[in-house]
């Protein structure tokens, strides 16, 4: 009986399989060999399943990238914490819109401050010594400020990139509260630092404007490239927007900024854009207090280093001691560049001119250089040079002039008048001339006489002195005083003025120029000489860093704009073509089923629903395979 029942069930299963074959259905669980046509269709079906599976996996594997973006921006690491936003729709709440707008404003202000302070490197030394005078201790505030500004800018730039990427991925923005605090701190820092530096160092804005004469072509290319990159998400959102007003506003703002960048070069001026063959000789280099990057300023070692580096002139500052010895000292006190606090602790803030020469000889003028390392170059000195630095003393004007005479270098110096009650208060000019004429071996023609007091009397006493003025006066006034050279701050740099003075044989010296880009600009402007802290750096320049002919500049400008316009047009056409057949309307809401922002469900049931796709219709519609059976795939139990 059991055997008969078993045979009956086997016959039933056989009849069931026979009916399935007659009905045109072939089961993958059937152990009988399938027909060849079914094998072909099976392979075709499995190939399509592989394509669908690959597409699903690509979409599923894309989620970690979005999770990383949302996690870094809003600490939303899990998928359920996020909300989708179709391109063209509102990307976030009003609070988050305000946060995003504040992020953009902070990015712009931080960028401005970072550019402003990075271009002010030429005057970092003055900034640090200014703080030393007010705070009483040395610290490289300028470099710290630059590092902080760069770090904050990088932080804000990364947040902005994350926000743009999230919008491009169709995610609603949610900025974490810690980032909101960070944005406010960065914004406060940028505004405060800019305001303080504008008050203390207003001339740095002139430096910023001068920098545009060198960096503007590169900034133009960078700005146009950035707008070209932004055209992709802008075009995507433009064609997905439902409201015409938003479309017009978005496109108008984008085009306004773009065309402004396209036309910026029309208002640009740079002396380094000149015809080939019109560049004059490089400005001669005058060591500012010697070579202060290589040795302590205003010391014998510093001036020797300046001569070794190839300087054509030497600059210094002269003060007269209480007993009538002219010596080299820039500051009104000895606190910054000597060890007066150790030798005369009760006279730290006493004027340098109130010390006798015997007292000045007791001071070290070099040990501070190793302790404070103002230019970060002390580490380059060998052991012998370090010992020599510590043995440097305050030099006299006589020693300075004899060194210049020995190496046939011209000299220029500021002369400080002694204070009230000083024995040489009224004889300071005469005493200085006495050293030049009677105590040193220098020729008067090597001296650029800068002091403006009693200039007429000095001219009569020694006509060979090269009268030099620090005033930006008219040509008539300069000629009346027999001025042959101007000594001006670099912020007064003007190619037109320099040419005008040169036409009446008045040369121009600019101080203090230590950055290669600023020296390049002075070179292109026709400056005759510059006073510098970086003789060893500027001497290596063989040509200006930026030099182009008008034709070359026009070619770069026009080519950049044309390529950008072509790419932006192509991007907008591509998005218009792609979106033309994708959107359809469901009620009042636009849905994009086939676009890159369609929602994909990756639950297990979705995978099985796709894996059970039937090819019955395809088989029936094929003219060469009529009435073919359909393949069905059964999930394993």
């Amino acid at each position: 009986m059991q055997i008969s029942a078993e045979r009956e069930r086997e016959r039933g299963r056989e009849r069931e399989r026979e009916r399935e074959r007659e009905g045109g259905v072939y089961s993958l669980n059937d152990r009988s060999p399938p027909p060849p046509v079914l094998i072909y269709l099976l392979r075709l079906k499995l190939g399509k399943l592989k394509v669908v599976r690959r597409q699903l996996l690509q979409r599923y594997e894309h989620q970690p990238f979005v999770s990383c973006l949302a996690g870094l921006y809003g600490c939303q690491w899990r998928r359920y914490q996020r909300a989708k936003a179709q391109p063209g729709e509102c990307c976030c709440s009003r609070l988050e819109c305000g946060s995003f707008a504040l992020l953009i404003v902070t990015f712009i202000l931080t960028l401005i401050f970072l550019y402003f302070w990075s271009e002010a490197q030429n005057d970092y030394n003055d900034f640090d010594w200014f703080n030393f005078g007010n705070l009483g201790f040395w610290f490289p505030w300028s470099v710290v400020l630059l590092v902080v500004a760069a770090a904050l800018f990088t932080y804000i730039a990364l947040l902005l990139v994350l926000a743009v990427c999230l919008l491009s991925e169709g995610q609603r923005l949610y900025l974490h509260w810690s980032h909101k605090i960070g944005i406010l701190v960065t914004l406060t820092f940028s505004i405060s630092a800019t305001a303080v530096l504008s008050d203390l160092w207003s001339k740095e804005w002139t430096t910023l404007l001068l920098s545009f004469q060198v960096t503007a072509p590169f900034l133009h290319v960078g700005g146009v490239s950035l707008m070209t990159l932004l055209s992709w998400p802008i075009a995507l959102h433009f064609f997905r927007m439902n409201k015409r007003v938003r479309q017009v506003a978005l496109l108008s703002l984008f085009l306004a900024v773009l065309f402004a960048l396209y036309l910026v070069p029309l208002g640009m001026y740079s002396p380094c854009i000149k015809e080939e063959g019109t560049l004059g000789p490089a400005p001669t280099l005058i060591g500012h207090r010697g070579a202060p990057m290589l040795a302590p300023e205003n010391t014998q070692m510093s001036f020797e280093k300046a001569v070794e580096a190839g300087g054509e002139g030497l600059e210094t500052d002269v003060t007269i001691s209480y007993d009538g010895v002219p010596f080299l000292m820039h500051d009104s006190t000895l606190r910054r560049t000597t060890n007066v606090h150790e030798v005369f602790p009760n006279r730290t803030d006493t004027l340098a001119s109130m010390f006798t020469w015997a007292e000045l000889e007791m001071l070290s003028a070099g040990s501070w250089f190793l302790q404070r390392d103002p230019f970060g170059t002390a580490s380059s000195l060998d052991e012998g040079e370090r010992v020599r630095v510590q043995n440097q003393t305050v030099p006299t004007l006589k020693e300075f002039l004899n060194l210049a005479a020995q190496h046939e270098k011209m000299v220029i110096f500021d002369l400080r008048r002694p204070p009230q009650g000083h024995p040489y208060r009224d004889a300071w000019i005469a005493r200085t001339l006495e050293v030049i004429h009677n105590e040193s071996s220098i020729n008067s023609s090597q001296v650029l006489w800068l002091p403006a007091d009693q200039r007429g009397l000095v001219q009569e006493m020694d006509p060979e002195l090269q009268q030099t003025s620090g005033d930006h006066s008219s040509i008539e006034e300069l000629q009346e005083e027999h001025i042959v050279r101007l000594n001006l701050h670099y912020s007064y740099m003007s190619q037109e003025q320099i040419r005008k003075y040169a036409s009446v044989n008045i040369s121009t010296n600019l101080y203090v120029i230590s950055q290669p880009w600023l020296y390049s600009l002075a070179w292109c402007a026709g400056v005759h000489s510059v006073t510098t802290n970086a003789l060893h750096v500027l001497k290596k320049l063989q040509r200006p860093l930026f030099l182009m002919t008008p034709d070359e500049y026009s070619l770069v400008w026009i080519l950049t704009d044309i390529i950008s316009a072509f790419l932006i047009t192509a991007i907008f056409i591509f998005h218009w073509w792609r979106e033309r057949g994708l959107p359809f309307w469901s009620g009042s809401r636009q849905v994009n089923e086939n676009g890159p922002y369609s929602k994909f469900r990756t639950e297990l049931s979705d995978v099985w629903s796709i894996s059970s796709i039937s090819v019955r219709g395809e088989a029936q519609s094929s003219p060469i395979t009529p009435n073919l059976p359909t393949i069905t795939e059964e999930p394993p139990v």
Side-chain angles (χ1 to χ4, degrees):
M1 292 294 293
Q2 293 180 353
I3 295 176
S4 300
E6 186 67 28
R7 289 178 178 176
E8 188 64 28
R9 285 194 295 272
E10 183 66 27
R11 291 192 193 98
R13 285 195 294 269
E14 188 67 30
R15 286 194 297 270
E16 182 67 23
R17 283 195 290 270
E18 187 66 26
R19 284 195 298 270
E20 289 179 354
R21 293 191 186 96
E22 292 175 359
V25 179
Y26 185 84
S27 175
L28 291 178
N29 291 333
D30 196 344
R31 295 295 183 262
S32 60
V37 175
L38 294 181
I39 294 176
Y40 168 77
L41 291 178
L42 178 62
R43 291 176 178 174
L44 179 65
K45 172 69 178 297
L46 292 176
K48 290 187 176 182
L49 286 176
K50 289 180 179 178
V51 173
V52 174
R53 181 176 178 272
R54 188 183 304 115
Q55 292 176 347
L56 271 177
L57 288 177
Q58 288 175 352
R59 174 58 59 177
Y60 181 76
E61 292 170 356
H62 190 61
Q63 291 303 318
F65 173 69
V66 177
S67 298
C68 183
L69 293 176
L72 294 175
Y73 187 80
C75 203
Q76 295 177 322
W77 296 98
R78 300 186 181 277
R79 190 175 181 181
Y80 69 82
Q81 295 175 321
R82 304 192 296 271
K84 299 282 288 184
Q86 293 293 337
E89 297 180 355
C90 183
C91 64
C92 46
S93 64
R94 290 185 179 181
L95 176 61
E96 296 304 322
C97 282
S99 299
F100 183 63
L102 188 63
L103 176 62
I104 295 176
V105 172
T106 304
F107 172 80
I108 295 173
L109 293 179
T110 309
L111 176 61
I112 292 174
F113 176 75
L114 178 61
Y115 180 80
F116 164 77
W117 194 238
S118 62
E119 293 303 313
Q121 291 186 40
N122 190 79
D123 301 322
Y124 278 4
N125 190 56
D126 294 339
F127 178 77
D128 290 335
W129 285 127
F130 173 82
N131 290 322
F132 173 83
N134 288 278
L135 301 176
F137 64 92
W138 169 262
F139 190 76
W141 296 104
S142 57
V143 177
V144 172
L145 192 59
L146 179 65
V147 171
V148 172
L152 292 178
F153 171 76
T154 303
Y155 167 67
I156 295 299
L158 287 176
L159 283 182
L160 190 59
V161 170
L162 290 174
V164 173
C165 291
L166 284 172
L167 291 176
S168 299
E169 291 296 328
Q171 298 292 324
R172 289 186 178 274
L173 295 182
Y174 172 76
L175 185 64
H176 195 259
W177 62 268
S178 60
H179 289 319
K180 293 176 181 177
I181 295 176
I183 291 174
L184 291 176
V185 170
T186 304
L187 181 62
T188 303
F189 169 82
S190 299
I191 295 176
S192 302
T194 304
V196 171
L197 291 174
S198 297
D199 182 52
L200 298 178
W201 301 88
S202 58
K203 286 186 177 180
E204 295 306 325
W205 289 110
T206 304
T207 306
L208 182 69
L209 296 177
L210 287 174
S211 71
F212 287 142
Q213 297 182 16
V214 174
T215 61
F218 307 104
L219 294 176
H220 169 251
V221 174
V224 171
S225 301
L226 179 62
M227 292 300 294
T228 304
L229 292 175
L230 287 177
S231 66
W232 181 275
I234 288 176
L236 174 64
H237 283 264
F238 174 79
F239 288 109
R240 295 279 182 96
M241 284 182 174
N242 299 332
K243 295 183 179 181
R244 182 73 63 180
V245 175
R246 291 183 179 179
Q247 285 184 315
V248 172
L250 178 64
L251 188 61
S252 300
L253 179 60
F254 176 75
L255 292 179
V257 175
L258 182 64
F259 286 130
L261 287 174
Y262 282 170
L263 300 178
V264 156
L266 289 176
M268 179 195 165
Y269 160 78
S270 173
C272 291
I273 299 178
K274 53 177 38 184
E275 295 293 344
E276 189 173 355
T278 60
L279 179 67
T284 57
L285 300 175
I286 300 175
H288 183 236
R289 308 171 199 168
M293 289 187 176
L294 306 177
E297 65 178 61
N298 278 335
T299 61
Q300 198 77 358
M301 181 180 178
S302 182
F303 295 115
E304 291 175 359
K305 288 282 188 180
V307 172
E308 293 174 4
E312 288 83 1
L314 304 173
E315 186 272 347
T316 188
D317 310 273
V318 178
T319 301
I320 299 178
S321 68
Y322 196 79
D323 51 353
V325 179
F327 64 97
L328 309 187
M329 184 60 57
H330 174 268
D331 298 359
S332 60
T333 69
L334 305 170
R335 184 165 62 99
R336 183 174 67 89
T337 58
T338 71
N339 63 339
V340 65
H341 63 284
E342 298 176 357
V343 181
F344 302 104
N346 297 326
R347 303 175 64 186
T348 302
D349 295 323
T350 302
L351 295 178
S353 57
M354 301 306 289
F355 286 79
T356 64
W357 178 244
E359 293 171 334
L360 293 170
E361 285 185 305
M362 299 170 62
L363 302 176
S364 169
S367 57
W368 66 272
F369 183 79
L370 298 177
Q371 295 170 2
R372 296 166 189 158
D373 194 12
F375 293 97
T377 55
S379 59
S380 64
L381 301 177
D382 58 35
E383 190 61 32
E385 289 177 323
R386 286 175 172 269
V387 173
R388 188 182 175 194
V389 165
Q390 292 177 340
N391 294 330
Q392 292 300 299
T393 58
V394 178
T396 63
L397 176 61
K398 174 185 175 180
E399 294 171 339
F400 168 72
L401 295 178
N402 286 337
L403 186 146
Q406 178 184 352
H407 296 283
E408 298 181 349
K409 304 298 181 182
M410 62 181 179
V411 299
I412 180 173
F413 56 83
D414 283 318
L415 181 59
R416 291 183 177 275
R417 186 177 185 181
Q420 293 288 345
H422 194 282
Y424 289 84
R425 166 71 177 178
D426 299 323
W428 57 305
I429 296 290
R431 181 68 185 100
T432 305
L433 289 174
E434 183 181 356
V435 174
I436 294 175
H437 296 153
N438 304 326
E439 300 179 17
S440 69
S441 57
I442 196 167
N443 293 323
S444 297
S445 59
Q446 293 177 247
V447 179
L448 304 178
W449 184 263
L450 186 58
D453 295 271
Q454 305 177 26
R455 188 182 294 277
L457 177 62
V458 173
Q459 176 71 16
E460 292 179 4
M461 294 177 61
D462 192 346
E464 292 187 8
L465 292 173
Q466 297 189 47
Q467 296 297 322
T468 305
S469 174
D471 297 328
H472 199 263
S473 305
S474 64
I475 292 179
E476 293 75 14
E477 294 174 338
L478 296 176
Q479 288 179 328
E480 288 178 2
E481 296 183 352
H482 306 283
I483 302 298
V484 297
R485 187 181 294 253
L486 289 175
N487 185 53
L488 304 174
H489 189 267
Y490 70 82
S491 59
Y492 289 104
M493 188 187 307
S494 168
Q495 184 178 23
E496 181 182 355
Q497 291 291 330
I498 292 170
R499 287 178 177 176
K500 185 172 67 173
Y501 290 129
S503 65
V504 293
N505 297 322
I506 299 177
S507 57
T508 304
N509 177 72
L510 299 181
Y511 67 91
V512 172
I513 292 179
S514 301
Q515 289 296 307
W517 73 265
L518 199 53
Y519 179 71
S520 300
L521 197 60
W523 188 347
C524 294
V527 173
H528 301 88
S529 62
V530 299
T531 303
T532 179
N533 291 325
L535 271 168
H536 60 297
V537 175
L538 302 186
K539 195 66 178 179
K540 297 178 181 179
L541 289 182
Q542 301 299 318
R543 56 167 290 166
L545 295 180
F546 169 67
L547 183 64
M548 299 179 71
T549 65
D551 292 339
E552 290 173 341
Y553 176 67
S554 298
L555 178 63
V556 172
W557 165 33
I558 296 174
L559 194 61
T560 300
D561 289 356
I562 290 177
I563 293 176
S564 171
F566 172 78
L567 292 176
I568 291 175
T569 303
I571 289 172
F572 270 80
I573 292 176
F574 170 77
H575 279 286
W576 170 80
W577 171 81
R578 191 181 68 169
E579 300 297 326
R580 181 178 56 179
L582 295 180
F584 68 91
W585 292 89
S586 176
S588 60
R589 183 177 179 182
Q590 187 179 6
V591 181
N592 298 278
E593 288 291 334
N594 300 321
Y597 295 92
S598 302
K599 294 183 178 179
F600 280 77
R601 295 184 178 180
T602 56
E603 287 81 1
L604 186 62
S605 59
D606 295 328
V607 177
W608 286 121
S609 64
I610 292 178
S611 65
S612 60
I613 297 175
S614 174
V615 295
R616 179 188 299 272
E618 296 181 6
Q620 291 178 352
S621 61
S622 174
I624 60 174
T625 57
N627 300 324
L628 290 177
T630 301
I631 301 174
T632 61
E633 186 175 2
E634 301 177 5
V637 179

